[in-house]
């Protein structure tokens, strides 16, 4: 009889754990081409939390700002996907954070209630703004000179929305709108690559 009670207790405990884990929400964050940020509205209650997953490349800067709209206060931690540990001491229990990531990965901004509010099963609605800066934002004003069929081709890169490249070939100037590539090592326009 005692073993049966222990077994039922374990089953109830595991069922509770799995149902709690299944109750969490994951939002895959997409930032539109030509922009660096997005703003999302969300809500949470009690022990539930919301994970906002965003991809970033090594050297990029992630910034997040959380604003409570209604209800109790909310906070967030910044984690690597699959981890339960904040990526930095200052990325835990905060409402605003900015940092440069040291590896290409999916990062999670986990929004949750403080312990007292979780225990009291309180609710909150909030607004979260996430910004991911391209790591090649520092290429502004950079000039590259190419040798193209015995002629000199010069390319000047300028940041902006969108960034541009001005190509000088002989006496002709062409200015093109560009998007930084995912690797941050080249610019891309209409499937044409411009390495920087």
């Amino acid at each position: 009889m005692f073993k049966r009670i222990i077994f039922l207790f374990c089953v109830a405990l595991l069922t509770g754990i799995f149902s709690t884990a299944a109750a969490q929400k994951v939002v895959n964050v997409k930032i539109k081409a030509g922009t660096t940020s997005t703003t999302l509205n969300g809500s949470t209650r009690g022990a539930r939390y919301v994970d906002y997953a965003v991809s970033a490349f090594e050297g990029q800067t992630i910034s997040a700002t959380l604003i409570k709209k209604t209800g109790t206060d909310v906070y967030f931690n910044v984690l690597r996907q699959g981890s339960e540990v904040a990526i930095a001491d200052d990325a835990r229990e905060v409402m605003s954070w900015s940092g440069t990531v040291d590896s290409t990965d999916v990062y999670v901004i986990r929004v949750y209630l403080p312990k007292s509010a979780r225990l009291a099963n309180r609710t909150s609605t909030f607004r979260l703004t996430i910004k991911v800066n391209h790591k090649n934002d520092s290429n502004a004003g950079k000039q590259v000179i190419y040798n193209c069929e015995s002629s000199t081709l010069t390319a000047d890169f300028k940041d902006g929305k969108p960034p541009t490249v001005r190509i000088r070939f002989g006496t002709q100037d062409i200015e093109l709108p560009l998007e930084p590539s995912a690797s941050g090592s080249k610019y891309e326009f209409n499937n044409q690559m411009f390495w920087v």
Side-chain angles (χ1 to χ4, degrees):
M1 180 68 174
F2 180 72
K3 287 182 180 178
R4 185 174 177 191
I5 291 171
I6 294 294
F7 173 75
L8 291 174
F9 174 76
C10 289
V11 169
L13 183 63
L14 288 172
T15 303
I17 289 170
F18 289 128
S19 64
T20 300
Q24 308 312 322
K25 182 178 179 181
V26 177
V27 177
N28 291 311
V29 177
K30 301 291 182 193
I31 297 176
K32 289 182 182 177
T35 66
T36 58
S37 66
T38 187
T39 299
L40 307 114
N41 293 306
S43 64
T44 187
R45 178 184 183 122
R48 295 180 182 216
Y49 54 80
V50 186
D51 281 354
Y52 293 89
V54 59
S55 297
F57 293 93
E58 178 184 350
Q60 287 187 309
T61 299
I62 299 176
S63 302
T65 304
L66 181 64
I67 298 171
K68 176 189 79 171
K69 290 168 68 177
T70 63
T72 193
D73 289 338
V74 280
Y75 301 102
F76 68 81
N77 292 353
V78 183
L79 324 159
R80 277 191 176 84
Q81 192 170 54
S83 172
E84 296 296 318
V85 180
I87 63 172
D89 287 341
D90 65 348
R92 182 174 50 233
E93 257 183 67
V94 293
M95 295 182 71
S96 180
W97 181 83
S98 182
T100 301
V101 296
D102 60 5
S103 63
T104 300
D105 210 335
V106 175
Y107 293 85
V108 170
I109 298 163
R110 176 168 293 170
V111 179
Y112 61 94
L113 301 179
K115 186 175 182 180
S116 60
R118 291 196 303 267
L119 294 173
N121 203 32
R122 294 193 180 131
T123 61
S124 182
T125 62
F126 55 84
R127 179 182 303 121
L128 177 67
T129 300
I130 300 170
K131 183 174 183 179
V132 180
N133 286 336
H134 297 294
K135 75 174 187 176
N136 56 357
D137 282 350
S138 62
N139 284 325
K142 185 166 185 176
Q143 185 179 84
V144 181
I145 298 172
Y146 301 88
N147 186 345
C148 183
E149 295 180 6
S150 300
S151 297
T152 300
L153 183 149
T154 305
D156 291 298
F157 295 90
K158 291 188 265 182
D159 283 335
K161 291 189 177 178
T164 59
V165 61
R166 184 179 63 190
I167 300 170
R168 273 191 304 284
F169 186 71
T171 58
Q172 193 173 21
D173 279 7
I174 303 167
E175 189 159 312
L176 300 172
L178 303 168
E179 286 298 328
S181 73
S183 70
S185 62
K186 56 186 177 292
Y187 284 89
E188 181 176 354
F189 178 72
N190 286 349
N191 297 320
Q192 299 296 314
M193 299 294 182
F194 298 88
W195 275 262
V196 298

